[in-house]
Amino acid sequence: MSRTDRANLLIHTGKDAVFSALTSSDALAAWLPPSGMRGRLERFDMREGGSFRLVLTYENAADAPGKSSADSDVTEVRITQLDPGERVVQEVDFESEDPAFQGTMQMEWKVLPVAEGTIVEVIARNVPAGIRARDHAAGLTSSLANLAALLEP
């Protein structure tokens, strides 16, 4: 049975700045890695039909062994929908020998303007069984907090 995880955060800035951070290589590399990880984009083509390859490296792999190697998670990300200023839908595949991390996860990032700023909502569908719900929730929340720290005045 597939699982869906969700997270959202109010960011006190306009939706254009938020959407730009969701679609810029430099910004993504800065905010997407959750706490305890560093990120590197090996390839980046942000357009509908485009893709990127992201390598996340654990600062301390002893507590969280990687999915792709002892200290890293490598993902191939395809952009299936790009609605400028509103939404990015991605298909994400982990490079892993472990069947628990295989399969395609869909990530949908929505930008919703509100009076106080912008709500960013992420919905992860078909989350691989090997990703524990509490770990995924912590990672998504951490990434959103990084995004807020990058953008808020």
Side-chain angles (χ1 to χ4, degrees):
M1 181 171 175
S2 67
R3 188 179 84 232
T4 298
D5 295 337
R6 299 171 184 267
N8 64 66
L9 185 67
L10 170 63
I11 299 179
H12 299 279
T13 195
K15 82 172 197 163
D16 291 342
V18 173
F19 193 79
S20 179
L22 293 177
T23 56
S24 157
S25 62
D26 290 341
L28 271 174
W31 69 262
L32 191 56
S35 178
M37 300 186 91
R38 294 182 318 276
R40 181 179 83 248
L41 289 163
E42 292 186 339
R43 184 182 73 255
F44 188 80
D45 181 12
M46 181 58 72
R47 62 180 172 83
E48 198 165 296
S51 65
F52 61 89
R53 180 180 171 87
L54 175 65
V55 179
L56 294 172
T57 304
Y58 290 88
E59 293 170 359
N60 179 2
D63 296 329
K67 298 166 191 67
S68 304
S69 70
D71 68 346
S72 69
D73 295 348
V74 179
T75 56
E76 284 289 333
V77 181
R78 291 172 305 287
I79 311 305
T80 58
Q81 293 182 319
L82 184 62
D83 301 324
E86 297 179 18
R87 181 171 78 126
V88 179
V89 181
Q90 307 164 335
E91 290 182 345
V92 180
D93 290 307
F94 289 95
E95 289 186 1
S96 180
E97 298 294 321
D98 187 339
F101 297 111
Q102 293 176 354
T104 300
M105 176 172 61
Q106 182 191 69
M107 301 282 293
E108 180 177 6
W109 298 86
K110 294 181 183 179
V111 176
L112 309 164
V114 294
E116 301 87 358
T118 304
I119 295 174
V120 178
E121 178 182 39
V122 58
I123 304 168
R125 295 178 180 89
N126 301 319
V127 178
I131 300 174
R132 294 185 307 187
R134 69 175 173 212
D135 293 341
H136 205 210
L140 293 172
T141 300
S142 178
S143 292
L144 289 171
N146 292 341
L147 178 60
L150 179 70
L151 296 175
E152 288 183 340

